[in-house]
Amino acid sequence: MEPSRICHGSALTQEAKLFTNQRLNSEKFVVSAKVASALFSSVQDHHVLNCMFENAAGGAGSSNLHVPNQDHEVLDGSPVIVAADTDDDNPAGQRSRVGSSNKASRKNCKPMFKVTFNMDFSHEETLLFNYLFFEGHPMEDTMVRMRECRVTRRHIETLIPGRLIDGRVVEMVAMRNTCSIQHLNHPYFWCLPPRFAEDVSKGLLVDELIETYLPFWVKPSRFLNRIFIPVEDIFFHWYCIVVDFADKTVYHLDSYPDPNMIADRESLIRNMVERLHDLMTYPDYGPLRAFTPTDLRECPIRRGYSAAAWVISWLDPEGMFNALEISGVLDDSTLRGRTTVSLAGGPFNATGSLVKMWAKQWQRLGISRK
């Protein structure tokens, strides 16, 4: 809103106009500072903060704050957040990141995945879940970012029941679990990303694997219990490898144990176990290599049931894997819903506070929930 719309020509004196301009700029700066504080708490990037404060000080004709996206750039036609203390939240030619500015189109939006009682969400988690699975949002917005891994809304929507889960979601689950043990001097499990199996199948040398996976993914430990490795096979088929040190067993958890493919899969499994042994006995691993089981290469392989949803379930750091029950019935919908919220709303998502802010803004728009 420009000062001229308030002053109405000669209706105010010169002193009153000056006071009005100063007050508008002050109020605008307060709004900008609040949004900047919320963003900076989750996105530690001075460039984002500087962009916001430069916009706030841009003059009386700039009445709205445009927040850059996570990649620190605003592309033509990309949605933006509009934060202002007026009712004009969607100026002409601009769209809100939380969805279309057309109220009629919002009324036609539907939830693609609904919260169930078994998900046991809090109010904030329910709001976040509904925001992620309602129609009408930009599909390429980054919803989860951990280190070099990013998951967009398009990837998140593969968690809708009945859809094939995207590999990036499985990798992000492994990333979340690995982030959760970084504070431990001796982690009790490792959770490797799907690309570990790809690197082993390509024949990468041990020193190349060390450079890629040590010390984040493969953190030296004296009290290692299990190693989890999700593997993506052909045609979006997933199976899971669990190396159990207590049982001295390698579990091959697979929902499609085709006799024609079992031999190749278990050959890859054996190669991965051998590479793990090489990693844990390599000089760069440090003095803890002395605690590596000498018979790791000879561990027998035991088969069980698995699928992408089961893989995510067994990758849970809270001990969902049970060697005595490696087959059974899984509440697929509940698992997919909880996985979504744990990734987007969890403490390791660098954009978590920003996504939660978008969800609250989306709620304030009053989008109907059918």
Side-chain angles (χ1 to χ4, degrees):
M1 184 177 293
E2 297 180 358
S4 59
R5 299 182 183 178
I6 299 177
C7 296
H8 299 294
S10 61
L12 298 177
T13 63
Q14 187 66 26
E15 292 78 12
K17 291 181 180 180
L18 179 60
F19 172 78
T20 302
N21 289 337
Q22 291 175 344
R23 181 175 181 181
L24 282 172
N25 289 333
S26 174
E27 291 176 351
K28 185 177 7 177
F29 183 80
V30 169
V31 173
S32 302
K34 288 180 179 179
V35 178
S37 176
L39 279 176
F40 193 61
S41 65
S42 61
V43 183
Q44 300 295 326
D45 197 313
H46 291 278
H47 178 70
V48 176
L49 191 63
N50 291 337
C51 287
M52 298 173 70
F53 276 92
E54 287 173 4
N55 200 332
S62 178
S63 61
N64 292 293
L65 171 65
H66 300 271
V67 180
N69 62 16
Q70 299 94 316
D71 296 322
H72 309 155
E73 61 184 28
V74 178
L75 305 177
D76 293 339
S78 63
V80 296
I81 295 176
V82 180
D85 55 350
T86 69
D87 293 331
D88 187 16
D89 286 338
N90 290 289
Q94 298 178 353
R95 291 188 299 144
S96 170
R97 184 174 288 276
V98 297
S100 172
S101 61
N102 189 319
K103 294 183 179 179
S105 65
R106 289 203 300 266
K107 291 180 180 179
N108 296 326
C109 293
K110 299 178 181 179
M112 296 177 289
F113 188 7
K114 295 184 178 181
V115 175
T116 64
F117 177 80
N118 289 337
M119 292 180 186
D120 193 26
F121 287 157
S122 65
H123 174 75
E124 183 180 44
E125 291 171 337
T126 300
L127 171 60
L128 177 61
F129 180 91
N130 288 336
Y131 168 66
L132 291 171
F133 289 111
F134 235 81
E135 293 178 342
H137 297 290
M139 297 296 292
E140 301 307 324
D141 283 347
T142 299
M143 298 289 103
V144 185
R145 188 182 71 205
M146 300 180 195
R147 291 170 63 94
E148 72 277 7
C149 297
R150 293 174 182 265
V151 166
T152 67
R153 188 186 299 275
R154 188 181 304 280
H155 302 129
I156 288 288
E157 289 188 0
T158 65
L159 284 165
I160 295 173
R163 299 189 183 185
L164 296 173
I165 299 177
D166 191 274
R168 293 197 187 185
V169 175
V170 179
E171 181 175 14
M172 191 61 78
V173 171
M175 175 69 75
R176 176 202 64 188
N177 296 350
T178 303
C179 286
S180 71
I181 60 170
Q182 292 305 305
H183 67 288
L184 300 175
N185 292 328
H186 297 277
Y188 56 94
F189 73 90
W190 292 342
C191 191
L192 300 180
R195 65 176 181 269
F196 179 77
E198 299 173 7
D199 290 342
V200 170
S201 64
K202 291 176 183 176
L204 264 64
L205 300 176
V206 178
D207 55 348
E208 294 177 298
L209 295 174
I210 284 284
E211 183 179 353
T212 302
Y213 297 98
L214 189 77
F216 178 74
W217 295 102
V218 178
K219 186 174 182 178
S221 173
R222 182 176 178 178
F223 307 114
L224 195 63
N225 280 338
R226 294 190 178 110
I227 302 175
F228 299 87
I229 311 173
V231 183
E232 184 176 11
D233 206 352
I234 59 175
F235 305 122
F236 305 101
H237 174 68
W238 286 90
Y239 60 94
C240 185
I241 308 305
V242 182
V243 181
D244 194 310
F245 289 90
D247 295 343
K248 295 184 178 181
T249 302
V250 177
Y251 293 93
H252 171 199
L253 308 175
D254 198 334
S255 64
Y256 185 60
D258 187 340
N260 298 322
M261 307 182 75
I262 286 293
D264 290 339
R265 290 174 185 170
E266 295 194 349
S267 175
L268 174 60
I269 292 171
R270 187 60 66 189
N271 287 337
M272 285 191 288
V273 173
E274 292 179 357
R275 294 291 80 75
L276 286 170
H277 181 271
D278 294 341
L279 284 170
M280 298 173 70
T281 55
Y282 202 72
D284 289 359
Y285 190 80
L288 292 178
R289 64 181 181 273
F291 296 94
T292 301
T294 56
D295 57 349
L296 179 60
R297 298 171 183 266
E298 286 75 38
C299 289
I301 297 177
R302 180 184 172 189
R303 299 171 191 168
Y305 180 82
S306 176
W310 273 105
V311 169
I312 291 176
S313 174
W314 282 325
L315 293 181
D316 193 307
E318 299 302 323
M320 291 292 293
F321 175 78
N322 183 354
L324 300 178
E325 187 179 349
I326 57 177
S327 299
V329 179
L330 181 71
D331 188 344
D332 183 74
S333 179
T334 299
L335 173 70
R336 289 170 181 254
R338 288 178 177 172
T339 299
T340 301
V341 172
S342 70
L343 292 177
F348 307 110
N349 182 11
T351 60
S353 297
L354 186 60
V355 174
K356 291 176 183 177
M357 185 177 69
W358 293 342
K360 291 178 180 178
Q361 185 189 24
W362 170 77
Q363 184 186 44
R364 287 197 300 270
L365 289 177
I367 298 179
S368 62
R369 292 165 173 75
K370 297 183 180 180

